[in-house]
Amino acid sequence: MGIVSQEAIKQFQALMDQVDEPLKRTFQNVHQGYPLETFGRFLKAREWNVAKAHKMLVDCLNWRVQNEIDNILAMLTFLESYSSMQKPIVPTELYRSVRDSQLIGLSGYSREGLPVFAIGVGLSTFDKASVHYYVQSHIQINEYRDRIILPSASRKYGKPIITCVKVLDMTGLKLSALSQIKLLTIISTIDDLNYPEKTNTYYIVNAPYIFSACWKVVKPLLQERTRKKVQVLSGCGKDELLKIMDYGSLPHFCKREGSGSSRHSQNGAENCFSLDHHFHQQLYNYIKQQSLIKEPVHPMKQGSFHVDVPEPAAEGTQIAKTIESEFNKFGNGNGLSDSLDDLKINGD
């Protein structure tokens, strides 16, 4: 780290020493014992401008306090309000439906100790629950990653591990994905503003032609540091991914060509998207246990946990509009159908 960077972190730390106690408490859940590295993440997200990074972090901490994010790992989704015993009813089937339609999971770790998160972009339908359930689920996975997974990896490898690797499976990406752009923009905005610089590299695999066409027009809109993180791999990406992780950590859809990211693997324990996978079982059981330990802050209304979502940045809005425009070109102007999804990015 250069002299300029170190000086920026010192200035940032001095400013954070002055914030109110509630913000200092929630900041502990953010940095997990690595405050300097956390300052570095927010500075990087704001091009090392201390004032802008400080505002970003303070806004993030206020968002956490106002939306009780520190308690979100003790909040199960609800089908009913509290019973007479003031204990929540666990809607396992609803949770399974969310998992079957919001495909994300932890498949393993890179050789450097970074958690490998798999995301089924193409086959996620987000059609089994309200937007709020999906937003709640996403934030819970973020918080579990930051408070449980990353600290555990840091202890195991004896060094600060504060980022992860994401493998995005584009199998099944179709024009119908246009209806998901609003939800994905909400999730992306939450991540950009409150969990900046948490992903080391994005690996795109099983990319159909429609992704290739959109990527060409979206790529120039991204900031340089974001563009450098994205690697589009050939086919299922197995050969390239094996350079940074062992075979056992590969997502199930990368283990052989043409395997795809089926929602229902023959072995649910192997499919990291499934509720039966050990990652989701551990997460679900952790939330269940925490919900029984902690008294509710206030009676919760029937339904999901609602989070205030800030307006997306101009860059995010422009990207969303560009993607929508490109998808519409495929659907209308070019007369192309979802059969494009059978064409691979390399023409195979």
Side-chain angles (χ1 to χ4, degrees):
M1 186 178 291
I3 296 176
V4 174
S5 300
Q6 291 178 344
E7 182 58 31
I9 287 177
K10 287 180 181 179
Q11 293 175 18
F12 200 166
Q13 186 172 22
L15 290 172
M16 289 304 298
D17 288 340
Q18 302 172 27
V19 302
D20 294 337
E21 193 59 35
L23 299 191
K24 288 182 179 179
R25 285 198 299 270
T26 195
F27 184 49
Q28 292 177 358
N29 271 331
V30 174
H31 68 66
Q32 290 294 318
Y34 298 105
L36 300 186
E37 287 80 2
T38 302
F39 294 146
R41 286 196 298 107
F42 279 82
L43 282 164
K44 189 174 181 181
R46 289 296 179 261
E47 308 298 333
W48 295 92
N49 182 304
V50 176
K52 290 182 179 180
H54 176 250
K55 181 182 185 304
M56 183 186 191
L57 179 52
V58 169
D59 287 346
C60 165
L61 299 179
N62 279 315
W63 173 81
R64 294 181 66 87
V65 171
Q66 292 163 9
N67 291 280
E68 299 175 24
I69 301 300
D70 288 345
N71 297 320
I72 199 171
L73 288 178
M75 295 181 180
L76 289 154
T77 49
F78 291 75
L79 288 180
E80 304 290 344
S81 55
Y82 284 105
S83 68
S84 58
M85 296 298 292
Q86 292 295 299
K87 295 297 182 183
I89 298 171
V90 183
T92 307
E93 291 310 311
L94 173 62
Y95 196 85
R96 185 177 292 278
S97 295
V98 170
R99 289 279 61 80
D100 285 346
S101 54
Q102 183 183 31
L103 304 182
I104 182 172
L106 177 70
S107 65
Y109 295 81
S110 74
R111 293 194 183 94
E112 294 183 346
L114 276 60
V116 178
F117 281 88
I119 303 174
V121 177
L123 291 176
S124 290
T125 56
F126 301 101
D127 60 350
K128 302 299 182 184
S130 72
V131 168
H132 301 292
Y133 283 113
Y134 290 113
V135 171
Q136 175 184 347
S137 170
H138 180 80
I139 294 174
Q140 284 178 324
I141 290 176
N142 278 357
E143 291 293 309
Y144 190 73
R145 173 198 66 197
D146 293 352
R147 293 195 240 168
I148 306 298
I149 299 295
L150 291 173
S152 175
S154 298
R155 290 191 297 270
K156 179 179 178 180
Y157 289 88
K159 61 181 180 180
I161 294 179
I162 60 172
T163 61
C164 66
V165 168
K166 290 183 179 178
V167 183
L168 280 58
D169 180 24
M170 297 294 169
T171 297
L173 184 66
K174 298 180 180 180
L175 300 178
S176 56
L178 195 61
S179 63
Q180 303 166 16
I181 288 180
K182 182 177 180 180
L183 172 58
L184 294 176
T185 300
I186 291 172
I187 289 175
S188 175
T189 300
I190 288 173
D191 283 354
D192 289 346
L193 296 179
N194 301 292
Y195 303 93
E197 300 297 323
K198 296 299 294 189
T199 303
N200 183 277
T201 310
Y202 297 90
Y203 294 100
I204 310 294
V205 303
N206 295 320
Y209 178 77
I210 192 171
F211 171 81
S212 176
C214 286
W215 178 239
K216 288 179 181 177
V217 295
V218 169
K219 186 177 180 179
L221 302 178
L222 300 175
Q223 295 183 11
E224 183 180 2
R225 70 172 189 279
T226 302
R227 287 199 303 270
K228 289 180 177 180
K229 292 181 181 181
V230 180
Q231 295 190 29
V232 182
L233 306 183
S234 175
C236 70
K238 180 176 69 174
D239 293 341
E240 288 298 313
L241 292 174
L242 284 175
K243 295 177 182 179
I244 65 162
M245 68 184 74
D246 295 333
Y247 182 84
S249 289
L250 287 175
H252 60 278
F253 51 80
C254 294
K255 291 187 174 178
R256 64 180 186 276
E257 288 286 350
S259 61
S261 64
S262 169
R263 293 188 186 88
H264 304 290
S265 173
Q266 291 180 349
N267 181 359
E270 179 184 339
N271 182 348
C272 62
F273 297 149
S274 170
L275 181 56
D276 298 321
H277 188 268
H278 62 84
F279 166 71
H280 286 296
Q281 284 294 301
Q282 290 168 358
L283 170 59
Y284 187 73
N285 288 333
Y286 181 86
I287 295 173
K288 183 177 179 180
Q289 291 166 4
Q290 291 298 306
S291 72
L292 297 175
I293 293 171
K294 293 187 177 181
E295 290 296 324
V297 178
H298 52 72
M300 201 170 192
K301 296 179 180 179
Q302 180 175 343
S304 58
F305 178 69
H306 287 217
V307 173
D308 294 331
V309 180
E311 288 296 319
E315 179 190 35
T317 302
Q318 183 182 8
I319 290 171
K321 288 182 178 179
T322 301
I323 293 174
E324 185 173 1
S325 174
E326 288 303 306
F327 269 58
N328 282 327
K329 286 180 184 178
F330 281 104
N332 301 319
N334 294 341
L336 298 177
S337 69
D338 284 358
S339 62
L340 279 171
D341 134 74
D342 295 327
L343 298 174
K344 295 298 180 184
I345 191 169
N346 57 5
D348 291 345

